[in-house]
Amino acid sequence: MKLKELLHGLDVLELHADETLDITGVHYDSRQVMRGGLFVAISGFQTDGHKYIPKAAENGAACIVCEKKPEMQIPYVLVSDARAALAVLGANWFGHPADDMCVIGITGTNGKTTTTYMIKAIAEKAGYKVGLIGTIRNLIGDRIIPTDRTTPESVELQRVFRLMRDEGVQLIVMEVSSHALDQDRVHGIEYLIGGFTNLTQDHLDYHKTFENYLAAKKIMFTRSKFAVMNADDSHSAELLRGINIPSITYGIRCEKADVRAADIEICARNIEFEMLTPNGNKQINVSIPGLFNVFNAMLAASVCMKLGIDLDTIAEGLKSVKGVSGRMESLPAEGFDFSVILDFAHTPDGLSNLLSAVQGFAKGRVIAVFGCGGDRDNAKRPIMGATAAKLADFCVVTSDNPRTEDPTRIINMVLEGVRSEKTEYVVIENRREAIRYALNIAKKDDVVVLAGKGHENYQEINGIKHPFDEKIIVAEILEDMRCGRK
């Protein structure tokens, strides 16, 4: 592609390159640049991409897009915002694939993953070929593409969009994180429908204030044609303030919500409720427990009603959802008379929802195994400790992903909250041993809840990711217990 075509729609401050240059690819990682490539130097949060211009040149970069003039002789394009520029360049390079598909964005603190899977299930029942972009994986039809982020970097996102379009995907449903919105990873994407789950404390290590966190989430609705909002969450009004788009609401407590749930029954393995909608009422059954999944199901249903999908198909789609990896997932425990639940809950609200749901069906004790991530919002650590101690019958405080932080320091902050309650607890820093301890003390009808890591198959310690899949670990420990090895 010619440089001139690639720069279409880009706000260029200075052009010091031949517009007829043949460009072979768009890159933001200097190590991936190939001969004839365009390197975008991003001023990052941990490092400055401008430092890697010499490396990009060494690898054969034909031109640089940058916010600061290069200190070496090389063709360059000066822009005011390299992140936004990368999004524009990526869309141009891959031919604006999202323009040919319907894109639905789901944002909020908790519930994004489960809601997107519910929407996917319903839409597929209705005959759509659906692409999904999310925390656990990207799906193109039946093909799985691994992902490291809730929302990929903008040029990578455009590549996935192009693959989806080429494989006949008609509808994309994607999780949209606050980081992605703030960092322009989804810059230029227009959402047919924007859906909101809820907003509670998270990511304040990055956003610094809750107001900044909310403002980042709001960006998605400035780019949406229609909104589906949680009437029971007070932040819904602020997210749409000053944005003139049509919307509908869903909720349980708010009687003015357009879509409501009545006669809710929550069991150990499913939820049932009557969904009251402007299109009529429908009995809903979802094979995932927890009141929060009533909210997720209503959001998914509301989005799909806007797509024109009928209530019968919506009910069939929701009934077909058999669970999402690492989200209120019941792990096999054959031969034992206790249960093991795996969940990604890593915020105070997420942990509260999880433990409240488990308390709703547990006949014995609820044993919570949890910790907090390092290099992240440390203000939530004592809150999570207090939440777990208040809602669990026994707490095993351990490490999550300490990353580059001292695990003992993290645990001590969590314990500030745990000690505010009278609940029994132990501290076992080694997460595998913490899980082993919890399984060994579990008695008849107890529920062991592993919170924080969910679908993750690694544990990050000292900046290194070590293999750590709790599904495998639980299976190994239970096998040891069957063989008498404690």
Side-chain angles (χ1 to χ4, degrees), residues 22 42 112 171 321:
D22 284 314
I42 296 174
K112 296 187 294 295
L171 177 71
V321 178

Side-chain angles (χ1 to χ4, degrees), residues 31 33 101 104 129 138 236 266 273 320 355 406 441 450:
R31 295 167 298 184
V33 174
M101 299 174 285
I104 295 170
K129 184 165 184 179
N138 297 333
S236 288
I266 300 174
F273 62 96
S320 73
L355 295 177
D406 178 8
I441 67 167
L450 310 180

